Amino acid sequence: MSEKVFIFDTTLRDGEQVPGCKLNTKEKLELALLLEELGVDIIEAGFPISSPGDFESVKQIGLAVKNATVCGLSRSVEKDIEAAAAALRYAVRPRIHTGIGTSDYHIRYKFNSTREEILERAIAAAKFARRFTDDVEFYCEDAGRSDNEYLARVVEAVINAGATTVNIPDTTGYCLPHQYGEKIAFLYNNVPNIDKAVISCHCHNDLGLATANSIAGAAAGARQIECTINGLGERAGNTSLEEVVMVIRQHKELGLHTDVKPHLLTAISRKVSDTMRMPVQPNKAIVGANAFSHSSGIHQDGFLKNSINYEIINPAEVGADGSKIVLTARSGRSALAFRLKELGYNFDRDDVDALYETFLQVADNKKEVEDADLEQLAKERQAVAADHI
Ligand code: KIV
Ligand code: ZN
């Protein structure tokens, strides 16, 4: 039996912090309903104290979403927590996400404080949040660079104070996967009451390691992953939802599963990209335009013999349009013959050999040979053949 990893989507909070990605209430609501349909467990809907518009968005999402938990962010400040609670008052399953920086960098240079003072503030915030809901998540900001012994003290204390989930963010995307995994394992081995809370991974992608770090955290025992559609988020982004979901599906040996419906991943990726006006890079794993495209001759030949040679995911599984054979100057005869056949031309081997020479001349002058170019080449070849009859 595999164990469930809760998927905490923060597209509408961390993702929306990206410059240019700001959403209005209607847009947020529409995406929240799609996230619920996708099967995420928790939707972080916004940061209610930050603006009246965001307060309203969290409130509307709380009213509309029926199955997923709806979460609002706050700092370890009473008025933030009160605003989050007020925005969430109509939610069926409200969660307050509060927290504070626990690295020495944050303690000294952000709060001009001490470890002991920060510990007290953390305890007070968790206790205060529990006055409003039984579902309190506490984030130890910059946990990735926090001292493990001190982090363990904070985690133990906030669980005692009422936190039911404890988030261990690699806020600056600094950790290597084995370091992040060891940090989670350290907490499991050194926090006596750790079984009273869910431990959550929240990783940023500054070194391109967010997904790897989240998976390392889950392999070490964390049972919640915080992520965003298309990996949107502060700076280089957050862990990408579609990546963690598919890693967990592909690697059964992890012994984990999520409740996300994979066939909806491509559609929601496109919707988020359109709504946030943020294009998805073509080579993005799972949802990029080239994720199932094959363009070099060696790959195309192997793919056409059996897709398993070059695809570990069936595009239909993630709702993608299908595999694509892209014809370029690096393509081989088998890909050319395949595409011509798809276009309705049944040329023999000699014809394909002859066509391939002309094809390469066209391909050397273009990035991609389109169907219209092939039609033209095929018609010319048919005309030559007719002349020889
Ligand atoms: O990256 C981070 O530490 C955060 C917290 C506010 C959870 O986004
Ligand atoms: Zn973050």
Side-chain angles (χ1 to χ4, degrees):
M1 258 292 276
S2 63
E3 281 187 49
K4 173 163 164 160
V5 174
F6 290 90
I7 295 294
F8 176 115
D9 181 275
T10 183
T11 308
L12 304 180
R13 199 279 297 169
D14 222 325
E16 203 234 13
Q17 288 172 206
V18 174
C21 284
K22 158 117 187 33
L23 301 171
N24 61 36
T25 297
K26 186 168 165 282
E27 291 167 328
K28 274 197 158 188
L29 190 55
E30 199 183 352
L31 292 182
L33 293 173
L34 291 176
L35 288 166
E36 180 172 44
E37 193 189 338
L38 180 69
V40 310
D41 301 286
I42 302 108
I43 298 171
E44 187 162 50
F47 183 12
I49 192 86
S50 66
S51 76
D54 218 32
F55 182 96
E56 186 60 20
S57 298
V58 175
K59 184 172 139 197
Q60 293 302 329
I61 292 169
L63 278 164
V65 166
K66 297 290 173 252
N67 299 315
T69 295
V70 178
C71 176
L73 185 76
S74 70
R75 295 165 295 180
S76 281
V77 172
E78 288 196 356
K79 66 176 175 24
D80 278 37
I81 297 171
E82 281 164 350
L88 290 165
R89 70 184 174 279
Y90 303 113
V92 180
R93 293 186 181 78
R95 173 178 296 186
I96 295 178
H97 189 189
T98 191
I100 199 160
T102 52
S103 68
D104 288 332
Y105 295 111
H106 281 219
I107 294 172
R108 276 189 218 139
Y109 305 129
K110 191 170 149 181
F111 299 112
N112 189 22
S113 186
T114 62
R115 286 186 177 187
E116 293 314 309
E117 259 176 37
I118 292 296
L119 182 63
E120 290 314 314
R121 282 182 66 179
I123 295 168
K127 273 195 187 144
F128 189 66
R130 270 303 288 262
R131 288 203 206 166
F132 304 97
T133 170
D134 289 343
D135 188 346
V136 170
E137 174 167 341
F138 190 89
Y139 63 84
C140 304
E141 198 180 4
D142 205 16
R145 294 187 299 170
S146 298
D147 170 65
N148 283 349
E149 303 274 354
Y150 176 66
L151 187 62
R153 282 180 65 203
V154 176
V155 173
E156 182 180 354
V158 296
I159 295 174
N160 278 336
T164 44
T165 302
V166 184
N167 181 6
I168 310 298
D170 184 19
T171 305
T172 53
Y174 173 75
C175 290
L176 291 169
H178 75 274
Q179 294 169 333
Y180 189 75
E182 282 163 14
K183 191 173 279 288
I184 301 294
F186 181 90
L187 296 175
Y188 273 98
N189 292 328
N190 291 280
V191 175
N193 56 357
I194 198 134
D195 58 316
K196 306 273 184 312
V198 172
I199 297 300
S200 183
C201 309
H202 177 115
C203 298
H204 279 266
N205 206 29
D206 301 65
L207 292 172
L209 294 170
T211 297
N213 285 348
S214 297
I215 295 295
R223 287 294 171 266
Q224 178 175 289
I225 293 180
E226 310 199 358
C227 44
T228 60
I229 302 292
N230 300 336
L232 290 170
E234 280 280 357
R235 305 180 311 280
N238 286 58
T239 300
S240 141
L241 182 148
E242 56 278 6
E243 291 173 14
V244 285
V245 165
M246 292 314 291
V247 171
I248 288 172
R249 271 180 78 82
Q250 285 285 311
H251 287 273
K252 301 277 184 269
E253 72 276 18
L254 289 168
L256 302 171
H257 71 271
T258 75
D259 284 349
V260 167
K261 301 180 189 89
H263 67 281
L264 298 177
L265 287 171
T266 302
I268 198 160
S269 157
R270 289 179 185 160
K271 180 73 186 168
V272 166
S273 168
D274 289 349
T275 314
M276 289 192 159
R277 297 157 288 272
M278 184 57 75
V280 176
Q281 70 192 63
N283 58 328
K284 169 80 182 62
I286 319 295
V287 293
N290 291 347
F292 302 101
S293 292
H294 307 274
S295 64
S296 86
I298 296 172
H299 286 220
Q300 289 173 334
D301 183 53
F303 171 79
L304 290 170
K305 284 177 176 143
N306 188 331
S307 62
I308 201 155
N309 287 325
Y310 285 98
E311 274 182 1
I312 58 164
I313 298 169
N314 180 338
E317 190 181 339
V318 295
D321 299 331
S323 311
K324 256 191 356 206
I325 293 285
V326 182
L327 293 177
T328 70
R330 305 291 156 262
S331 299
R333 285 175 178 73
S334 54
L336 176 64
F338 170 81
R339 191 73 199 121
L340 285 167
K341 203 164 174 197
E342 280 195 332
L343 293 172
Y345 298 97
N346 264 317
F347 288 114
D348 63 20
R349 208 192 160 91
D350 287 345
D351 281 327
V352 173
D353 282 346
L355 271 162
Y356 188 63
E357 299 310 315
T358 357
F359 162 79
L360 284 181
Q361 285 162 20
V362 177
D364 263 338
N365 289 313
K366 295 190 80 174
K367 284 202 185 306
E368 195 179 314
V369 180
E370 317 280 345
D371 286 351
D373 302 313
L374 290 185
E375 298 270 9
Q376 173 77 22
L377 293 181
K379 292 216 165 73
E380 282 167 15
R381 182 71 202 162
Q382 282 174 330
V384 172
D387 279 355
H388 285 83
I389 291 171

